Amino acid sequence: MAQSISLSLPQSPTSSTGIKVKLVALFKTLGTLTLLLIALPFNALIVLISLLWGILRSPFTKKAIVAAHPQTILVSGAK
């Protein structure tokens, strides 16, 4: 015996409930975006400091020594 299953979302009994849910989601989204915009300058400052530190430190780091004839070694897990 075959049964049909409805894949549509159930309709809310009142339209005001749907509006409340949408308003709550809207305010959560706006709050999240506001917090991200507040954090943006701090994150950008950290990235800028790290970038400048890497640029200033690069002349003083030792270069990696590369073999004259490098070979690739395949390392696999235990079998």
Side-chain angles (χ1 to χ4, degrees), residues 5 9 20-21 50 59 73 77:
I5 298 173
L9 295 173
K20 287 180 184 177
V21 170
S50 299
I73 301 173

Side-chain angles (χ1 to χ4, degrees), residues 7-32:
L7 297 177
S8 62
L9 295 173
Q11 297 295 326
S12 62
T14 61
S15 64
S16 65
T17 305
I19 293 173
K20 287 180 184 177
V21 170
K22 288 183 180 180
L23 281 176
V24 168
L26 176 69
F27 284 123
K28 282 184 178 181
T29 302
L30 291 176
T32 302

Side-chain angles (χ1 to χ4, degrees), residues 54-75:
I55 290 172
L56 292 175
R57 201 179 69 172
S58 64
F60 304 111
T61 58
K62 293 182 179 179
K63 303 289 185 208
I65 299 172
V66 179
H69 302 289
Q71 296 178 347
T72 303
I73 301 173
L74 177 63
V75 178

Side-chain angles (χ1 to χ4, degrees), residues 1 8 14 17 23 30-31 35 38 43 45-47 68 70 72:
M1 184 185 300
S8 62
T14 61
T17 305
L23 281 176
L30 291 176
L35 290 174
I38 291 171
N43 291 332
L45 182 65
I46 291 170
V47 170
T72 303

